[in-house]
Amino acid sequence: MKSKKAVTLLTRVESLLSDVLDEYSVIEKQVEKNVRAGLLSAKESVKSAMKFISALPDAQISYKSGRPHAKAKTRAKTSVRAKKTSAARKRR
């Protein structure tokens, strides 16, 4: 994932955590107190991750894609007839 995209996603996560914390302050009396501490910890972790990623140059950030390469996906399978012909040629 490129650093610009990662920072964008982390910004979204941070804003969602802020929204949850704002809503949580209304219902804080009904829910356990340690939930707020966990949310604040998560928000700080997101901030530190954003600082770390934005400090790196783009070349140092590597990512793996879950999608297969286009060539492997579009490559046609060898037919049974072609396999038999190829095997017969090798035997000669």
Side-chain angles (χ1 to χ4, degrees):
M1 179 178 309
K2 299 199 183 224
S3 63
K4 190 174 185 180
K5 188 174 181 180
V7 170
T8 302
L9 292 175
L10 287 171
T11 304
R12 285 186 192 171
V13 169
E14 184 182 15
S15 67
L16 287 172
L17 282 170
S18 295
D19 291 343
V20 169
L21 283 167
D22 291 341
E23 292 294 322
Y24 177 72
S25 64
V26 175
I27 59 169
E28 189 171 354
K29 295 175 184 176
Q30 299 171 358
V31 184
E32 295 181 31
K33 300 290 182 183
N34 60 0
V35 173
R36 183 170 182 80
L39 291 172
L40 287 171
S41 173
K43 188 174 178 181
E44 292 302 317
S45 296
V46 168
K47 283 183 181 180
S48 67
M50 284 175 50
K51 287 179 185 176
F52 177 76
I53 290 175
S54 61
L56 291 175
D58 282 343
Q60 288 185 352
I61 299 174
S62 63
Y63 64 95
K64 292 183 179 180
S65 176
R67 291 178 270 144
H69 295 287
K71 289 182 181 178
K73 191 174 185 180
T74 58
R75 190 180 316 150
K77 293 185 178 180
T78 309
S79 68
V80 175
R81 183 176 180 186
K83 288 179 184 178
K84 288 181 181 177
T85 306
S86 175
R89 286 184 188 155
K90 287 181 184 177
R91 280 184 259 157
R92 291 184 192 172

